[in-house]
Amino acid sequence: MCPEQIRDHARETTMSEHDEPATYDVRAAQDKWLPVWDRLQPFRADDDSPREKKYALTMFPYPSGDLHMGHAEVTALHDVIARYWWQRGYEVLNPMGWDSFGLPAENAAIRNDEHPATYTYANIETQYESFRRYGISFDWSRRLHTSDPEYYRWTQWLFLKFRERGLAYRKNSPVNWCPNDQTVLANEQVVDGRCERCGAEVTKRELTQWYFKITEYAQELLDELDNLEATWPARVVAAQRNWIGRSEGAHVSFAIDGRDEPVTVYTTRPDTIFGTTFMVIAVDSALADDLVTDAQRPAFEAYREEIRKETEMERLSTDRPKTGVDLGVTATNPVTAEQIPVWATDYVLADYGTGAVMGVPGGDQRDWEFATEFGLPIVRTTQTPDDWEGEAFHGEGPAINSPAPGAAAPLDINGLGVADAKRATIDFLEQRGSGTGAVNFRLRDWLLSRQRYWGVPIPVIHCAKDGEVAVPYDQLPLELPELRGADLKPKGVSPLAAAEDWVNVECPTCGGPATRDSDTMDTFVDSSWYFLRFCSPGYTDGPFDVAKANAWMAADIYVGGVEHAVLHLLYARFFTKVLRDMGMLEVGEPFAAQLNQGFVINQGKKMSKSLGNGVNLGDQLAEFGVDAVRLTLVFAGPPEDDIDWADMSPAGSLRFLQRAWRLSGDVTSAVGTSPEGGDVALRRVTARTVHDAAELVEAYRFNVVIARVMELVNATRKAIDSGSGPADPAVREAAEAVAVLLSLVAPYTAEEMWERLGHQPTVARAGWPAVDPALLVEESVVAVVQIQGKVRARLEVSPDISEADLEQLALADADVVRAIDGREVRKVIVRAPKLVNVVV
RNA sequence: GCCCCGGUAGCCCAACGGCAGAGGCAGUGGUCUCAAACACCAUCCAGUGUGGGUUCGAAUCCCACCCGGGGCACCA
């Protein structure tokens, strides 16, 4: 298609014979209503409103370039809910801001030899203008940016408060390192051994870093998911449960030959302890280093060196042979008193449990492979099923060899099922003082230090004499030094460390020479509390006004991408719980309900530059207008499903909007005319549509709402053209309902309709149409008569017909009599007023 | 391997355990036009992934399997 042939749908205005425009000018409408809305400020949330409050939250974006299809989809869906609440008479808080710290700005700054703020704030302005034209009902007076000093001042304040409570601490440990971005990564940011952001293979480094003690809240974070199950997407709840990864088992102490301290292992299967034929320790743990004998040290260190060179990718591949080194010491099985060898290996993780595991090859496949590799004995402790052909068996079955036949042991669990055997073993260990029941979590503490510039400086000073010293609260915000371009190039240490004027300071305690912490915070810290700041964005006496936060929180809906299922959502939940424990919040969960939108894809594939299948939002908006694009995204299907743009028809959406708009021009009755006495059939459709639309919006079934509005438009069109005519007050009632319902998704079209119907702006605050309950009851319904489940007749009956009357009527019907054909009626099921089923 | 979600016309999607179709896209036929595009009007189209079960009656509930999407995974 050559460019001249591309039709300009949005601008097109055709005239009918009566000089009555058949379509309205989409672009002119956009230009016309934006200033009106600016003047009316219909979506400004009033903290002191007597109306019931609703908090409609959608994930704030990172300012990279202009808005794209993904932003368009999530905000269009979100806006249906926010605008619906306004129409229903709630006071709605619907704020927006930017998550404006982060790596892309820093990389752009290096590329262009400029300050990251230049890129950041230019993009924010671009996105802000696009959002405005896109007509989302945001309260712009509450706009915030996490990179503003007046915002990150409070991020630093919260960090210091967390630190005072022992929830922010430094420790030295092997951490995930992205060699490309030259910074550490949280566990959550490593996906399949690669950096979530850039895809580089992640390696390990031994570093001293800041952590948030999220593990202290692991149990509560898990427990509260039960209460969120009804209102959060199942996949998010499942993902968080998986990530927290609670397991129940026992700590068991093994005495070590020639060492005072025993070694404690964590196991989920204490009942298999009789099958423990060796012990394995994480090779990269301090414990392994401590246990190894002088004779074995050279072999151990060589092995450890070999392992350190591996990337995460290599370590995670499960199909390679097991490796390890004998540490040269022996441990004593506390139940059998047997001496077993102690090995170091890389298949045991240093930072989970105790970093040491009892090797039970009969019950654990990894141990089986290790035992096979090194010729260690294998003892089964659970009876395998008759048809078992596998190796290690971890299923249900009676305990065997516990103890082995003929062997003497102070404990005997033979014959017990797994659960009973576990309990008996733990009881025994507890009595002996060599073990205890224990719970473990997969969740690790949250590594928050980043060796980059464009983030929140960690407000701590390191002094040779006083150690870690907090920057005094009255010196916050601790602002970033002015660095740009080449200063920001990744060097493996934070660029802040090289800013000598900034990093060298006097110790606040002793006045001696000291240095600032040169790392910045993970940007997930910024987004863990922004929804609280929105409740009082200008507040200067704390991160937020406690009374206002308590008035608005929790958010009644949080709309956003499922890619944040564990990261952001888990961190935000953690922050909320800590703030509650600090007495600053009443709620312990930030998001009462949640909705995840799907992706916008094209031709069955994710949009990408390399595939060349990207759909540009700006082009779509220019061609079809804001309303048609929004309508297309909302109508496409259930919100959580992916939308394939190739299957969609924004032109069809625009056609529908024009059809709807045309109704408003056809209405001839005066504004304010009572619908009483209007065509009852149409009034019923209107009432039913308005009534059902409310339920459908609340169930997030926006696509069905649109379908129902289309039906209403069709019914109204018919009434005008071939029914009661344009002067019927029922037609006005219907057209006005269409305008209000459309205001949830097509604000410009709805406003045009509302004006043409003789009303003042803005339709967005017109209020939900009143529904006469009498109109929801049908005058007559069609009852279906089935013979053997097949429909044989239809009867028009009153909706409140009795079952007996309906049965009688059905059996008397000529078609029914013919269908029964003299056979004996064995049973008649009657479901008045809809159905009769005759069984013969 | 374990756990979640989903399979309905050519396509996107509807359907309190009760007539499989609400809406849209595409298609087809008309109206308009010198002709076409746009627009408008009309119309065609499946028995619900497979196999069992429960029920008077199953797209819907239960079981198994297949396919697709997602989460966790050397976490002891």
Side-chain angles (χ1 to χ4, degrees):
Chain A
M1 198 195 296
C2 61
E4 300 86 74
Q5 280 177 301
I6 299 172
R7 296 205 58 89
D8 194 351
H9 305 283
R11 179 155 278 183
E12 186 188 2
T13 302
T14 56
M15 306 293 271
S16 77
E17 332 165 14
H18 313 294
D19 263 12
E20 187 69 18
T23 62
Y24 74 95
D25 185 325
V26 170
R27 213 160 299 165
Q30 289 174 189
D31 293 339
K32 170 175 156 193
W33 292 110
L34 266 183
V36 176
W37 296 337
D38 280 349
R39 183 163 47 77
L40 295 174
Q41 300 271 341
F43 309 118
R44 216 169 166 137
D46 177 3
D47 295 324
D48 304 318
S49 168
R51 307 201 286 177
E52 195 180 326
K53 291 180 167 62
K54 287 280 189 187
Y55 189 172
L57 184 67
T58 182
M59 291 178 186
F60 66 163
Y62 178 81
S64 56
D66 201 352
L67 300 183
H68 52 67
M69 273 293 173
H71 297 116
E73 185 196 9
V74 64
T75 51
L77 293 168
H78 168 79
D79 209 29
V80 174
I81 300 171
R83 286 173 175 270
Y84 168 76
W85 280 338
W86 279 118
Q87 297 287 30
R88 292 308 298 251
Y90 295 99
E91 190 69 22
V92 183
L93 173 57
N94 183 17
M96 182 41 89
W98 278 269
D99 188 14
S100 50
F101 270 135
L103 263 184
E106 197 161 335
N107 293 335
I110 294 165
R111 227 172 22 245
N112 306 327
D113 190 27
E114 61 185 22
H115 194 280
T118 310
Y119 168 95
T120 302
Y121 288 91
N123 284 341
I124 287 176
E125 276 319 301
T126 303
Q127 294 196 349
Y128 167 70
E129 277 308 324
S130 296
F131 268 139
R132 255 171 41 83
R133 276 187 78 75
Y134 197 55
I136 305 295
S137 65
F138 290 131
D139 177 356
W140 286 115
S141 72
R142 292 177 185 253
R143 170 175 167 180
L144 60 79
H145 320 119
T146 59
S147 55
D148 291 350
E150 55 267 39
Y151 183 90
Y152 72 71
R153 167 187 183 176
W154 299 111
T155 308
Q156 291 171 332
W157 186 94
L158 288 165
F159 172 87
L160 292 178
K161 289 292 176 192
F162 276 42
R163 184 171 167 274
E164 284 169 15
R165 298 178 73 85
L167 293 170
Y169 67 97
R170 277 202 328 162
K171 75 170 172 191
N172 183 276
S173 97
V175 296
N176 301 306
W177 178 262
C178 174
N180 181 51
D181 291 337
Q182 296 271 300
T183 185
V184 300
L185 300 170
N187 256 325
E188 287 84 346
Q189 289 167 322
V190 181
V191 178
D192 293 333
R194 291 177 180 277
C195 170
E196 176 202 43
R197 181 167 288 286
C198 70
E201 282 193 20
V202 170
T203 58
K204 288 276 184 185
R205 272 200 182 187
E206 190 92 9
L207 286 172
T208 300
Q209 300 283 296
W210 285 97
Y211 290 82
F212 279 136
K213 208 168 189 178
I214 191 171
T215 51
E216 192 160 310
Y217 285 82
Q219 187 65 53
E220 197 193 338
L221 287 165
L222 180 67
D223 289 344
E224 293 259 9
L225 288 174
D226 294 345
N227 304 325
L228 298 172
E229 216 153 22
T231 50
W232 277 34
R235 54 183 167 167
V236 174
V237 174
Q240 294 217 355
R241 284 211 178 103
N242 279 338
W243 191 261
I244 295 168
R246 184 192 144 103
S247 73
E248 286 181 19
H251 281 135
V252 185
S253 295
F254 285 70
I256 301 294
D257 200 25
R259 186 179 192 258
D260 294 340
E261 281 283 295
V263 169
T264 301
V265 302
Y266 173 72
T267 176
T268 56
R269 290 295 299 275
D271 58 304
T272 63
I273 191 163
F274 287 92
T276 307
T277 54
F278 57 94
M279 180 187 280
V280 257
I281 316 276
V283 61
D284 52 343
S285 65
L287 180 61
D289 191 82
D290 187 50
L291 286 176
V292 66
T293 58
D294 292 343
Q296 286 302 99
R297 183 163 287 280
F300 166 72
E301 285 183 353
Y303 175 60
R304 185 169 62 184
E305 209 41 51
E306 196 181 305
I307 297 303
R308 277 189 179 157
K309 284 194 203 121
E310 289 181 345
T311 64
E312 275 293 280
M313 291 288 280
E314 287 161 342
R315 203 186 63 76
L316 286 176
S317 74
T318 49
D319 51 356
R320 59 188 194 141
K322 292 282 180 283
T323 56
V325 165
D326 192 334
L327 291 175
V329 292
T330 57
T332 307
N333 185 322
V335 177
T336 63
E338 280 167 349
Q339 296 288 301
I340 54 172
V342 180
W343 287 62
T345 182
D346 68 333
Y347 82 85
V348 173
L349 306 174
D351 58 350
Y352 181 77
T354 61
V357 166
M358 60 187 214
V360 186
D364 184 286
Q365 187 59 29
R366 297 157 297 185
D367 295 341
W368 178 286
E369 286 163 16
F370 190 81
T372 309
E373 188 72 32
F374 295 104
L376 297 161
I378 295 171
V379 178
R380 287 200 186 279
T381 54
T382 307
Q383 181 66 55
T384 55
D386 290 344
D387 57 353
W388 179 252
E389 285 171 5
E391 299 176 336
F393 177 72
H394 59 261
E396 186 58 48
I400 54 170
N401 296 322
S402 302
L411 172 69
D412 188 335
I413 54 171
N414 279 320
L416 295 181
V418 172
D420 292 337
K422 275 188 193 177
R423 206 168 305 120
T425 308
I426 292 171
D427 285 349
F428 172 80
L429 292 168
E430 285 180 348
Q431 280 163 25
R432 283 295 194 89
S434 55
T436 173
V439 168
N440 236 310
F441 294 94
R442 213 191 66 95
L443 182 71
R444 311 296 155 85
D445 278 339
W446 169 13
L447 199 177
L448 70 104
S449 320
R450 294 293 180 274
Q451 290 69 48
R452 297 299 298 240
Y453 169 75
W454 192 232
V456 181
I458 292 174
V460 170
I461 291 165
H462 300 285
C463 170
K465 183 162 154 283
D466 296 307
E468 269 175 34
V469 182
V471 171
Y473 284 104
D474 61 11
Q475 290 178 24
L476 300 182
L478 167 60
E479 292 199 39
L480 285 165
E482 286 289 317
L483 298 184
R484 47 184 292 132
D487 301 338
L488 305 176
K489 279 206 173 120
K491 313 178 220 357
V493 292
S494 173
L496 293 180
E500 288 182 17
D501 291 349
W502 184 87
V503 83
N504 293 314
V505 287
E506 282 181 9
C507 169
T509 306
C510 70
T515 53
R516 292 193 184 282
D517 198 297
S518 60
D519 287 348
T520 52
M521 297 185 207
D522 179 7
T523 56
F524 279 111
V525 182
D526 310 340
S527 55
S528 289
W529 71 281
Y530 78 108
F531 46 90
L532 299 168
R533 185 72 183 168
F534 277 141
C535 299
S536 50
Y539 196 61
T540 53
D541 296 333
F544 52 87
D545 180 328
V546 167
K548 285 183 177 172
N550 282 328
W552 288 110
M553 287 296 287
D556 296 281
I557 185 73
Y558 195 20
V559 184
V562 73
E563 66 273 19
H564 292 116
V566 282
L567 294 153
H568 163 58
L569 289 170
L570 196 65
Y571 296 151
R573 294 181 62 213
F574 164 62
F575 260 59
T576 301
K577 290 180 191 307
V578 175
L579 285 163
R580 177 205 55 200
D581 291 347
M582 286 167 64
M584 294 180 68
L585 272 183
E586 285 164 11
V587 296
E589 283 291 337
F591 316 123
Q594 215 197 128
L595 178 64
N596 296 136
Q597 84 281 9
F599 293 107
V600 183
I601 60 174
N602 193 25
Q603 291 158 330
K605 292 185 184 73
K606 247 183 138 161
M607 291 192 228
S608 74
K609 275 190 192 132
S610 58
L611 288 169
N613 66 339
V615 179
N616 182 272
L617 175 63
D619 294 348
Q620 298 292 312
L621 292 172
E623 187 169 4
F624 303 104
V626 166
D627 285 359
V629 169
R630 288 181 57 164
L631 181 77
T632 304
L633 290 165
V634 173
F635 182 52
E640 57 275 12
D641 286 6
D642 288 349
I643 297 172
D644 194 331
W645 196 252
D647 295 331
M648 293 302 122
S649 172
S653 298
L654 180 57
R655 204 181 307 145
F656 163 70
L657 290 172
Q658 298 286 16
R659 259 165 66 76
W661 173 85
R662 224 171 290 131
L663 296 178
S664 60
D666 289 345
V667 171
T668 55
S669 55
V671 63
T673 306
S674 164
E676 295 291 334
D679 177 61
V680 176
L682 180 59
R683 294 205 65 204
R684 284 216 165 88
V685 177
T686 305
R688 177 61 61 192
T689 304
V690 170
H691 174 265
D692 291 356
E695 287 179 3
L696 290 165
V697 170
E698 285 172 28
Y700 315 135
R701 308 195 49 206
F702 314 134
N703 55 322
V704 186
V705 175
I706 307 294
R708 298 296 299 278
V709 176
M710 287 174 170
E711 263 183 276
L712 178 57
V713 168
N714 291 345
T716 313
R717 179 85 262 152
K718 263 206 179 90
I720 292 169
D721 291 347
S722 54
S724 48
D728 184 344
V731 167
R732 165 169 286 277
E733 183 186 36
E736 290 183 349
V738 168
V740 174
L741 293 173
L742 277 185
S743 77
L744 308 187
V745 59
Y748 294 103
T749 310
E751 206 72 88
E752 286 287 324
M753 287 184 72
W754 200 240
E755 181 185 51
R756 216 148 174 248
L757 286 162
H759 292 284
Q760 292 297 311
T762 166
V763 67
R765 296 293 302 273
W768 198 248
V771 174
D772 179 356
L775 290 169
L776 296 174
V777 182
E778 296 296 329
E779 214 161 38
S780 69
V781 296
V782 174
V784 174
V785 186
Q786 300 177 334
I787 315 294
Q788 304 291 70
K790 292 244 196 304
V791 180
R792 297 300 184 197
R794 286 158 217 276
L795 307 168
E796 189 152 315
V797 298
S798 153
D800 46 12
I801 189 168
S802 74
E803 304 218 326
D805 288 352
L806 181 58
E807 178 174 347
Q808 201 178 6
L809 211 58
L811 293 174
D813 185 88
D815 290 334
V816 173
V817 170
R818 195 177 323 120
I820 292 173
D821 194 25
R823 287 173 291 184
E824 184 197 352
V825 175
R826 286 176 42 214
K827 196 170 176 186
V828 181
I829 293 106
V830 185
R831 291 285 177 274
K834 291 174 72 179
L835 175 130
V836 177
N837 191 12
V838 181
V839 186
V840 296

